[in-house]
């Protein structure tokens, strides 16, 4: 495995330092980070020289009551440690590092949430002590020991191979995953989806094996397995998994579409166990459909309701063989500004229906439905293969950025750009010089988009701020701050007549300047190496084997190429050319993101964590609800990376302390 301990990039030349903004690292080593201007530690929300920016008064949102998730990794510099700063921590909170019962820090650490212990060994035992929070919040973390490598390995229980009704053998691979605190102990559990090797796109016929969903603790303890049964087809568009604490009791639930023969974690069967609704092409176009919410700790059924909308007449969704009728999406949103609700949808090429629910006393209670057949023909065909969730109109309640249209918190259209369907969408504060959030999306139909392959729009109004021209379907696009010479984030997509996976396209600044014609990969992005710029997550794809080896790279704006930081040998990416991780989120240690990939044989899930220290101190991204709901929908259809509600990048201002409350507590 290649995992460099050193990389170096120039920061913006001659950039004037401002008291409030943070700046990107000038150089990075395994022991320290040198910055231009004053240290980042003096210009972040936990630092002594910069109080957090005051946020607007709004209803407090329910979030998870998380622990510090401390992590230590053995490196050639000793042991690198990291831990969480939580959403409700005081700005001045500090931390002590204790090794083998001896406190290593003379003064509390208040400017970072990483520490390098040069004398640490594989046998060292660490504890993180919180100081200065008050109100009973100063406590010790659980004891932890260093990982021998830069990933946490979770052993997986791979399902047995199978054979289709027509005699084709298949096996299983660990596919998309989600994360939630299922048992209320403050630590995340992994919810792992297993795909058979004969999983199919909706456009292709063929029988598939059953889909399984497992839950594992971080130590590899398997909590349960749900078998979705023969009447749920396997493929990216069929099973959309939501894991979140919907009832506010401090323990998360898991919800997904089910059918006759689905078996829960205790062996209870939903519907008719003997029913087989598959037709000769392997499609499932008859029989009952359900939406089920499961107890997260046990995997047992809490409530099951008929899936809404029903499929009805298959051809009414755009074709007669079963492609468009089974295009599903799902998401979590704070529709009342306080508690999370569930959304499950059907259709986006033609008719589009979104249905939302609350979980009340263990039962799914419908909140509202949006149906393009009722709202009007202009709302047909505007959905993407994914979606964003955010409070785009700043009324304290979330909206669904459902491709080219946005649906308000009350189920009514907020706006419709009429730009049509697309494969990728990103929503965040990409241009902090403008009020509110922005959305960067790619488009498939040139007749609908007006030969715009990608657009950068105001998330609240739908106004297109700038666009990238194209003559064909633009299948890939991404947005994040990767070039410190330009304010805000950059957006990039393949443009003109280039192939969808071409390295040639348009790299645009947040202000719409075309700054390069070479682009990095547009699969995933992650904060990895310690500075404020986002790194490129991709893979070395073996087309013959159909498998990718995960990689993390730094975009080099001077050479217009990607410089490798990590090659995760022995692991693999998911979803063929999409090349995405099973899960990306702020799972361990400081605010930066972890990347979860299956091992090449799917016997374990490897959660990779950075071993580079950082002097940037931010609260855990999981207590920002735009980021947290993005993690919840990350596994949906064509996976997209999560983004927070605030800008992270060169020149960023310290984000406001989140206005949240911890579920299951009085805090």
């Amino acid at each position: 495995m290649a995992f460099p301990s050193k990389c170096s990039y120039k920061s913006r030349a001659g950039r004037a330092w401002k008291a409030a903004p943070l700046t990107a690292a000038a150089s990075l080593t395994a022991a320290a980070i040198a910055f231009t201007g004053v240290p980042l530690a003096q210009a972040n929300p936990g630092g002594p020289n910069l109080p957090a920016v005051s946020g607007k008064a709004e209803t407090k949102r329910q979030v998870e009551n998380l622990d510090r998730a401390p992590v230590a990794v053995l490196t050639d510099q000793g042991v690198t440690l990291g831990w969480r700063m939580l959403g409700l921590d005081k700005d001045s909170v500090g931390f002590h590092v204790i090794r083998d019962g001896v406190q290593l820090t003379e003064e509390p650490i208040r400017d970072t949430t990483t520490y390098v212990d040069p004398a640490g060994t594989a046998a060292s035992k660490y504890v993180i002590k919180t100081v200065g929070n008050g109100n009973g919040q100063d406590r010790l973390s659980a004891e932890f020991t260093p990982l021998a490598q830069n990933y946490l390995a979770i052993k997986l229980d791979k399902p047995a191979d199978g054979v289709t009704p027509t005699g084709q053998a298949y096996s299983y691979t660990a596919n998309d995953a989600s994360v939630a605190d299922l048992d209320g102990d403050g630590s995340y559990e992994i919810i792992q989806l297993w795909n058979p090797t004969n999983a199919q796109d909706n456009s292709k016929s063929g029988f598939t094996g059953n889909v399984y969903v497992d839950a594992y603790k971080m130590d590899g303890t398997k909590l349960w397995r749900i078998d979705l049964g023969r009447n749920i087809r396997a493929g990216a568009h069929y099973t959309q998994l939501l894991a979140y604490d919907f009832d506010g009791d401090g323990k998360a639930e898991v919800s997904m579409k089910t059918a006759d023969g689905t078996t829960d974690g205790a062996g209870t069967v939903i519907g008719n166990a003997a029913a087989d609704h598959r037709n000769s092409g392997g499609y499932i176009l008859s029989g009952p459909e359900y939406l089920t919410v499961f107890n997260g700790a046990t995997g047992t059924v809490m409530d099951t309701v008929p899936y809404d909308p029903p499929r009805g007449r298959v051809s009414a969704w755009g074709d007669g063989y079963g492609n468009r009728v089974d295009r599903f999406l799902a998401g979590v949103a704070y529709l009342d500004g306080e508690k999370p609700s569930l959304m499950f949808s059907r259709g986006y090429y033609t008719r589009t229906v979104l249905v939302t629910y609350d979980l009340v006393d263990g039962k799914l209670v419908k909140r509202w439905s949006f149906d393009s057949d009722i709202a009007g023909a202009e709302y047909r065909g505007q959905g993407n293969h994914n979606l964003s969730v955010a409070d785009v109109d700043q009324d304290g309640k979330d909206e669904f950025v459902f491709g080219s249209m946005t649906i308000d918190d009350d189920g009514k259209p907020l706006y419709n750009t009429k730009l049509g369907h697309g494969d990728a969408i990103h929503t965040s504060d990409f241009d902090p010089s403008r009020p509110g959030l922005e959305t960067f999306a790619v488009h498939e139909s040139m007749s609908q988009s007006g030969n715009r392959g990608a657009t950068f729009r105001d998330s609240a109004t739908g106004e297109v701020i700038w666009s990238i021209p194209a003559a064909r379907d633009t299948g890939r696009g991404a947005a994040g701050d990767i070039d410190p010479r330009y304010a805000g984030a950059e957006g990039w997509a393949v443009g003109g007549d280039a192939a969808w996976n071409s390295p040639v396209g348009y790299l645009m600044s947040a202000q719409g300047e075309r700054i390069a014609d070479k682009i990095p990969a547009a699969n995933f992005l992650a904060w990895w190496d310690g500075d404020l710029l986002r790194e490129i997550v991709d893979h070395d794809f073996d087309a013959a084997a159909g498998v990718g080896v995960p990689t993390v790279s730094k975009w080099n704006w001077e050479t217009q190429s990607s410089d490798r930081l990590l090659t995760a040998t022995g692991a693999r990416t998911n979803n063929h050319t999409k090349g995405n991780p099973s899960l990306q989120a702020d799972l361990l240690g400081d605010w930066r993101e972890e990347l979860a990939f299956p091992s090449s044989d799917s016997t374990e899930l490897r959660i990779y964590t950075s071993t580079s220290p950082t002097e940037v101190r931010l609260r855990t991204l999981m207590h920002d609800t735009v980021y947290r709901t993005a993690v919840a929908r990350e596994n949906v259809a064509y996976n997209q990376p999560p983004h927070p509600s605030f800008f992270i990048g060169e020149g960023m201002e310290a984000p406001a302390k989140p206005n949240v409350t911890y579920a299951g507590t009085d805090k």
Side-chain angles (χ1 to χ4, degrees):
M1 177 176 300
F3 190 78
S5 61
K6 185 176 183 180
C7 60
S8 179
Y9 298 94
K10 295 179 181 178
S11 187
R12 187 184 309 180
R15 184 183 185 277
W17 175 262
K18 298 181 181 179
L22 307 177
T23 184
S27 65
L28 176 65
T29 70
I33 301 178
F35 292 86
T36 55
V38 301
L40 279 174
Q42 299 179 18
N44 66 66
N49 294 344
L50 184 65
V53 178
S54 297
K56 64 181 180 181
E58 58 183 13
T59 304
K60 291 185 177 181
R61 295 187 170 206
Q62 167 197 308
V63 297
E64 295 148 314
N65 185 21
L66 298 174
D67 61 16
R68 296 288 171 193
V71 65
V73 181
L74 189 66
T75 69
D76 54 6
Q77 283 80 35
V79 174
T80 300
L81 299 91
W83 59 91
R84 286 191 183 116
M85 181 180 181
L86 301 172
L88 294 184
D89 282 344
K90 290 185 176 180
D91 295 336
S92 58
V93 68
F95 303 95
H96 282 298
V97 178
I98 299 170
R99 186 227 303 144
D100 299 327
V102 177
Q103 185 171 297
L104 304 181
T105 46
E106 293 184 7
E107 297 293 330
I109 300 172
R110 302 186 190 275
D111 53 10
T112 184
T113 48
T114 61
Y115 183 84
V116 177
D117 178 14
T121 69
S124 297
K125 297 179 180 179
Y126 293 94
V127 171
I128 303 299
K129 180 181 180 181
T130 304
V131 295
N133 248 350
N135 298 319
Q137 297 304 297
D138 291 349
R139 57 185 67 167
L140 300 175
S141 74
E143 187 176 77
F144 59 105
T145 56
L147 300 172
Q149 63 284 316
N150 61 331
Y151 61 84
L152 172 66
I154 300 174
K155 293 298 181 183
L156 300 177
D157 180 16
K158 188 175 180 179
D161 298 350
V163 179
T164 69
T166 51
Q168 285 78 41
Y170 60 89
S171 58
Y172 280 89
T173 59
N175 194 252
D176 297 334
S178 194
V179 65
D181 182 4
L182 300 179
D183 55 12
D185 65 353
S187 177
Y188 279 130
E189 281 74 45
I190 297 292
I191 301 93
Q192 178 67 59
L193 184 145
W194 291 95
N195 254 4
T197 50
N198 58 2
Q200 298 288 355
D201 185 83
N202 297 45
S203 63
K204 297 179 180 180
S205 63
F207 289 94
T208 72
N210 292 14
V211 175
Y212 297 98
V213 179
D214 291 353
Y216 298 90
K217 295 186 72 65
M218 288 291 187
D219 64 4
T221 301
K222 181 181 172 185
L223 298 179
W224 46 258
R225 168 167 289 171
I226 294 169
D227 177 359
L228 289 182
R230 65 172 68 94
N231 295 307
I232 294 290
R233 201 165 186 247
H237 303 289
Y238 293 103
T239 293
Q240 317 303 347
L241 172 75
L242 296 183
Y244 219 85
D245 182 5
F246 293 108
D247 59 8
D249 67 350
K251 301 178 181 180
E253 294 76 39
V254 177
S255 187
M256 67 197 88
K257 185 175 180 285
T258 58
D260 280 343
T262 294
T263 305
D264 75 3
T268 301
V269 177
I270 296 173
N272 181 356
D276 187 345
H277 302 296
R278 295 173 293 182
N279 66 20
S280 60
Y283 288 98
I284 301 152
L285 304 179
S286 63
E289 303 173 284
Y290 306 113
L291 176 65
T292 301
V293 59
F294 298 89
N295 181 294
T298 64
T300 54
V301 172
M302 293 177 63
D303 193 28
T304 295
V305 298
Y307 195 88
D308 192 13
R311 64 173 71 87
R313 184 168 54 88
V314 171
S315 60
W317 297 89
D319 61 68
Y321 68 97
N323 180 0
R324 288 166 174 79
V325 68
D326 279 354
R327 297 284 178 157
F328 301 104
L329 298 176
V332 178
Y334 290 78
L335 299 177
D336 65 357
E338 183 177 354
K339 299 182 296 296
S341 299
L342 308 80
M343 187 282 292
F344 285 85
S345 72
R346 182 176 223 136
Y348 41 72
Y349 285 123
T350 51
R351 182 187 178 194
T352 300
V353 182
L354 289 72
V355 183
T356 60
Y357 301 85
D358 296 323
L359 186 63
V360 181
D361 296 327
K363 300 296 182 182
L364 288 165
V365 178
K366 189 177 296 185
R367 191 176 185 92
W368 52 253
S369 298
F370 167 86
D371 189 337
S372 62
D373 276 2
I374 297 173
E378 65 185 283
Y379 299 104
R380 293 168 60 88
Q382 300 302 315
N384 272 31
H385 287 306
N386 31 61
L387 72 157
S388 297
V389 174
D391 176 17
V392 301
D393 58 7
Q394 300 183 45
D395 65 353
K397 303 175 184 179
D398 284 343
E399 285 72 45
F400 296 103
V401 185
F402 200 83
S404 290
M405 65 181 178
T406 293
I407 305 302
D408 210 345
D409 58 86
D410 60 1
K412 299 177 181 177
L414 185 66
Y415 64 80
N416 184 10
T417 67
K418 302 181 182 180
L419 293 169
H421 169 73
D423 284 6
I425 194 167
H426 306 265
T427 299
S428 186
D429 188 6
F430 293 126
D431 184 356
S433 69
R434 299 182 73 259
L437 306 179
E438 294 80 35
T439 294
F440 182 70
V442 299
H443 305 293
E444 183 170 300
S445 170
M446 294 299 98
S447 61
Q448 286 183 285
S449 71
N451 287 106
R452 288 177 284 193
T455 56
F456 188 77
R457 74 181 192 241
D458 186 298
S459 299
T461 66
E463 174 194 359
V464 175
I465 302 165
W466 52 261
S467 63
I468 296 175
R472 56 177 291 171
D473 173 4
T474 303
R476 298 286 171 90
D481 190 13
I482 61 171
D483 189 334
R485 299 172 299 176
Y486 299 89
E490 288 69 51
W492 60 98
V494 176
D497 291 316
W500 61 265
N501 60 346
S502 170
V504 178
Y506 294 165
L507 180 63
M508 308 286 285
S509 75
Q511 288 70 44
E513 306 164 88
R514 183 171 168 179
I515 59 180
D517 289 341
K518 291 184 178 180
I519 59 173
N523 289 335
F524 259 62
L525 303 164
W527 286 288
W528 182 261
D529 68 356
D531 66 15
L532 290 166
L533 301 178
R534 220 165 188 195
E535 278 66 61
I536 310 302
V537 181
D538 195 32
H539 60 175
D540 291 334
F541 187 65
D542 183 341
V547 175
V549 176
T551 64
V552 179
S553 301
K554 188 84 168 181
W555 179 247
N556 188 324
W557 53 89
E558 294 178 331
T559 63
Q560 295 186 20
S561 61
S562 295
D563 296 338
R564 185 67 55 86
L565 302 180
L566 169 68
T567 303
T569 306
R572 62 165 181 78
T573 55
N574 280 324
N575 302 318
H576 200 57
T577 61
K578 304 290 188 298
N580 56 264
S582 292
L583 177 68
Q584 174 185 308
D586 178 11
L587 298 176
L588 303 171
D590 60 55
W591 61 277
R592 289 172 295 175
E593 296 169 294
E594 277 65 46
L595 298 162
F597 297 99
S599 60
S600 55
D601 60 2
S602 286
T603 59
E604 62 185 23
L605 186 70
R606 298 178 176 181
I607 302 179
Y608 288 82
T609 189
S610 176
T611 59
S612 300
T614 178
E615 292 187 25
V616 179
R617 184 163 99 158
L618 297 172
R619 290 176 171 82
T620 175
L621 299 181
M622 300 298 265
H623 279 165
D624 177 82
T625 57
V626 171
Y627 183 90
R628 183 64 186 89
T629 57
V631 170
R633 61 96 187 117
E634 190 180 322
N635 71 88
V636 170
Y638 288 179
N639 314 54
Q640 297 292 291
H643 301 280
S645 64
F646 54 90
F647 172 69
I648 298 179
E650 174 79 0
M652 72 175 285
E653 293 186 353
K657 182 178 180 180
N659 199 359
V660 297
T661 184
Y662 295 154
T665 74
D666 57 0
K667 301 178 184 64

